[in-house]
Amino acid sequence: MSDYPARAVVDLDAISANVRTLRDLASPAAVMAVVKADAYGHGLVPSARAALAGGATWLGVAQATEALELRAAGVQSRILTWLYAPGAPLDRLVAADVDVSVPAGWALLEVVEAARATGRTARIHVKVDTGLGRGGALPRDLDTLLDAALAAQAEGAVSVVGVWSHLAWADAPDHPTVLAQAQVFDDAVRLAERKGARLEVRHLANSAATLTNPAMHYDLVRPGLAVYGLTPVPQLGGPDRYGLVPAMRLEAELVLAKLVPAGHGVSYGHVYTTPTQTVLGVVGLGYADGIPRHASGTPERAGAPMQVGGRRVGIAGRVCMDQLVVDLGPDADDVAGDRVVLFGSGADGEPTAEDWAEAAGTISYEIVARLGARVPRVHVGGPVGDGGPAAARGGAA
Ligand SMILES: *Cc1c(COP(=O)(O)O)cnc(C)c1O
């Protein structure tokens, strides 16, 4: 592991266990593990396999390329994909038996064309904008869209298997928009069924609604963040409140440690000056690796925390492109090669992705999902038959 001075160690057994927990919580609803964005930075294919081993029966991805990558790796579960522009490779998705979201008439036309080109029936989920104001058809356009979809179904070009939507305020379960969106959703489902759709799945819940709002579960829940052991509702408690275990540990070796005098400026712009004689450590991770520059440390504002030799230390000065500096303290005896844990599950007293989110003024989603492609992912544990249960090198994702 010394060919790169940092890595994200991903515990695939934690992912499986988290999905098992979510499945028990959501049952009888099924679980679609959302593995978009390289499984929130955890590595697409190994994470997807671990989620399936934990009992997910569906996988969800934003991009067509992500769905095709899963199929190319031999993943056979149902997959739904939902973000594409005109001209996307829908024929390849349909040929690969990937379910496709349909948010508008142009998308339906392209899916029908792809179905004719491949000679297969495309499985579609009609996306309704129940109030998020992002993807999906507005209720006023739904009548026309459903008529066209069911006409295409009568021809055998498509099968309308799902109606789905997404919540704006799922992380505030009592927010009035949640109930209002559910009512619009129920109307959309009724309309589709009245027109003759025989839906396999109605789905609305992300992690927050899966964890906090059983009324939103319907037939299928779509957790993403919780699969990786993080909580979208930190105000209600940590991951352990829901029996979740963070799967990623970001660690590095110090590439340098040195004693400097008091009053020494540190990193670009000298926004941090050593208050006393102290030992500075250098870590080979920077903003090109997804370390937020907002996690920089000044005497006024503590930088993001990390753990060295069982102690908590903080980023000193500005985060650079490839590296950052940490103030190890005046009595530190750390040397180059010693291990630094930036964040992990917290089980050994290390900071968590949530701690980093707070330090950088963002959410834990961003801390893990933005982790750069340059950082090796090292997968440990995981389903037998997936390269064996021993540590498997994930490579740069
Ligand atoms: C990302 C995403 C999810 C998962 O959201 P989490 O908050 O991570 O659980 C579910 N549905 C859609 C449409 C998404 O884009």
Side-chain angles (χ1 to χ4, degrees):
M1 288 188 191
S2 58
D3 52 344
Y4 201 90
R7 70 207 59 84
V9 180
V10 176
D11 180 354
L12 296 173
D13 293 333
I15 291 178
S16 299
N18 292 332
V19 171
R20 224 169 281 126
T21 297
L22 293 164
R23 192 193 54 182
D24 291 348
L25 188 66
S27 175
V31 174
M32 172 189 292
V34 177
V35 293
K36 64 191 182 188
D38 200 30
Y40 291 44
H42 293 67
L44 175 63
V45 172
S47 301
R49 290 221 171 92
L52 293 171
T57 47
W58 290 71
L59 297 171
V61 288
Q63 302 289 355
T65 50
E66 299 171 316
L68 293 171
E69 192 179 333
L70 287 168
R71 281 288 186 254
V75 171
Q76 290 178 351
S77 69
R78 290 258 169 251
I79 300 174
L80 173 66
T81 185
W82 55 79
L83 267 190
Y84 57 93
L90 290 169
D91 50 346
R92 290 169 62 203
L93 292 173
V94 174
D97 196 25
V98 172
D99 291 28
V100 175
S101 173
V102 167
W106 67 262
L108 180 65
L109 288 177
E110 294 206 4
V111 173
V112 167
E113 214 171 284
R116 288 193 184 125
T118 55
R120 297 184 63 126
T121 300
R123 294 169 47 91
I124 66 170
H125 299 232
V126 173
K127 178 83 181 272
V128 188
D129 183 354
T130 55
L132 175 59
R134 197 177 71 179
L138 289 169
R140 65 152 196 259
D141 298 323
L142 202 55
D143 204 62
T144 310
L145 182 59
L146 284 169
D147 283 346
L150 290 164
Q153 177 167 288
E155 276 178 41
V158 306
S159 178
V160 181
V161 300
V163 168
W164 73 305
S165 188
H166 197 47
L167 295 167
W169 281 93
D171 51 349
D174 300 326
H175 197 276
T177 58
V178 176
L179 256 188
Q181 282 194 254
Q183 279 163 6
V184 176
F185 186 66
D186 290 340
D187 288 345
V189 167
R190 268 195 296 272
L191 183 65
E193 289 176 340
R194 207 168 61 231
K195 287 177 183 292
R198 284 197 301 277
L199 302 175
E200 279 175 31
V201 283
R202 306 162 298 159
H203 48 111
L204 181 58
N206 56 6
S207 293
T210 302
L211 294 174
T212 67
N213 201 339
M216 302 294 126
H217 288 176
Y218 294 92
D219 305 310
L220 180 66
V221 295
R222 302 190 310 269
L225 191 73
V227 167
Y228 310 102
L230 300 172
T231 168
V233 283
Q235 73 277 15
L236 301 181
D240 50 323
R241 166 163 184 184
Y242 301 101
L244 301 170
V245 178
M248 182 190 289
R249 183 174 78 243
L250 181 62
E251 60 175 42
E253 282 85 42
L254 290 173
V255 299
L256 192 66
K258 64 187 175 197
L259 186 68
V260 300
H264 204 297
V266 177
S267 191
Y268 294 127
H270 285 176
V271 296
Y272 183 86
T273 304
T274 54
T276 60
Q277 168 177 290
T278 191
V279 179
L280 296 178
V282 181
V283 173
L285 287 167
Y287 59 76
D289 303 301
I291 302 299
R293 196 165 173 275
H294 279 98
S296 298
T298 68
E300 295 77 46
R301 188 168 172 282
M306 50 195 95
Q307 190 186 45
V308 181
R311 312 177 327 270
R312 281 284 177 108
V313 295
I315 296 181
R318 288 206 180 124
V319 173
C320 312
M321 184 181 291
D322 314 297
Q323 44 194 313
L324 58 85
V325 183
V326 47
D327 188 340
L328 296 167
D331 305 321
D333 57 1
D334 311 286
V335 296
D338 283 358
R339 197 173 74 141
V340 181
V341 177
L342 288 84
F343 59 81
S345 71
D348 297 319
E350 74 274 34
T352 62
E354 183 60 37
D355 294 330
W356 270 71
E358 276 167 33
T362 183
I363 53 178
S364 60
Y365 289 83
E366 194 181 351
I367 297 299
V368 290
R370 68 185 295 168
L371 195 67
R374 190 166 65 171
V375 181
R377 270 60 166 182
V378 176
H379 293 100
V380 297
V384 179
D386 181 25
R393 197 61 191 259

